[in-house]
Amino acid sequence: MEAFSANLGNRRIEVVRGDIVKERVDAIVNAANSTLLGGGGVDGAIHRAAGPDLLEECRGLDGCGTGDAKITRGYRLSARFVIHAVGPIYRGGQEGEAQLLDATYRRCMVIAAEHRLQSLAFPAISTGAYGYPRREAAGIAFRRLLQELRSETTVERVRYVLFDASAFETHEEVLRELLTKRS
Ligand code: ADP
């Protein structure tokens, strides 16, 4: 199976290959756009799987800023909630993209703790249509997620879900590097 996981005390981070809409966790994170009214990529897949009630709830949220996130119910998904996160569009790296991507992951973890969630599944935010270089984005994502999992939080398990084989390989490599650097 294509999966890699690491324990951090009683917390755990898992990198897996798969389709995030099938994840059985408390919340899946959506790589949304700032309208929160649906889009392509993972956003489209989540809305299709959750059904029309998800869009209805999103219409009431008045959008979401870049680097921020908002939570809704999961409707027909196995996940009870969806955290809609808006990562930055990559414009060359000199426009605060790294800080914004980091803030996006941080906000998701804050919202998860506020709702006392224990398990989350993330996609590789900003690395599709938003063009963020994959390896750089993976480093930002995992540094933040590891830091949050080593801090006070209700979240015990983070799954990081990659759709394709080469994305999975890069993410596994980046996480392994970060884990060995520290120990
Ligand atoms: P963004 O606009 O934030 O870049 P995208 O949805 O275009 O978001 O892409 C984000 C990542 O999600 C990409 O790496 C893409 O391959 C991946 N992806 C697309 N569909 C799925 C899915 N069903 N499950 C997991 N990851 C997915």
Side-chain angles (χ1 to χ4, degrees):
M1 204 184 51
E2 287 179 298
F4 169 72
S5 63
N7 291 323
L8 312 147
N10 54 0
R11 312 258 174 78
R12 189 177 174 84
I13 186 163
E14 303 168 347
V15 180
V16 298
R17 188 172 168 205
D19 180 346
I20 199 168
V21 306
K22 301 197 173 122
E23 288 288 310
R24 304 177 70 87
V25 285
D26 292 338
I28 64 173
V29 174
N30 181 13
N33 59 53
S34 58
T35 69
L36 299 186
L37 298 180
V42 73
D43 197 358
I46 288 172
H47 276 276
R48 277 194 298 279
D53 291 344
L54 178 61
L55 184 58
E56 207 40 51
E57 185 175 353
C58 284
R59 283 190 210 287
L61 295 179
D62 195 27
C64 181
T66 303
D68 198 1
K70 291 186 177 177
I71 192 167
T72 66
R73 290 168 57 196
Y75 300 97
R76 293 180 194 157
L77 296 167
S78 304
R80 200 148 63 90
F81 296 101
V82 178
I83 299 174
H84 304 265
V86 183
I89 297 171
Y90 190 79
R91 296 193 168 94
Q94 302 302 309
E95 302 200 21
E97 293 96 330
Q99 291 88 332
L100 285 167
L101 188 60
D102 177 62
T104 308
Y105 282 94
R106 196 173 59 230
R107 277 294 294 151
C108 290
M109 294 298 288
V110 168
I111 289 170
E114 283 170 357
H115 288 77
R116 313 209 62 75
L117 306 185
Q118 297 185 331
S119 57
L120 297 180
F122 284 88
I125 298 168
S126 286
T127 66
Y130 280 7
Y132 213 114
R134 181 185 282 166
R135 186 171 291 273
E136 254 176 81
I140 292 164
F142 290 143
R143 272 193 294 273
R144 171 54 57 188
L145 292 173
L146 289 173
Q147 184 176 325
E148 299 292 331
L149 286 170
R150 288 171 170 138
S151 312
E152 177 71 33
T153 177
T154 61
V155 179
E156 291 173 353
R157 190 161 70 112
V158 165
R159 287 170 61 79
Y160 201 92
V161 183
L162 289 316
F163 205 51
D164 63 84
S166 79
F168 170 79
E169 274 173 32
T170 304
H171 282 77
E172 178 183 358
E173 247 175 67
V174 170
L175 180 57
R176 279 184 193 277
E177 275 167 25
L178 286 172
L179 290 166
T180 49
K181 243 189 231 164
R182 183 181 156 104
S183 52

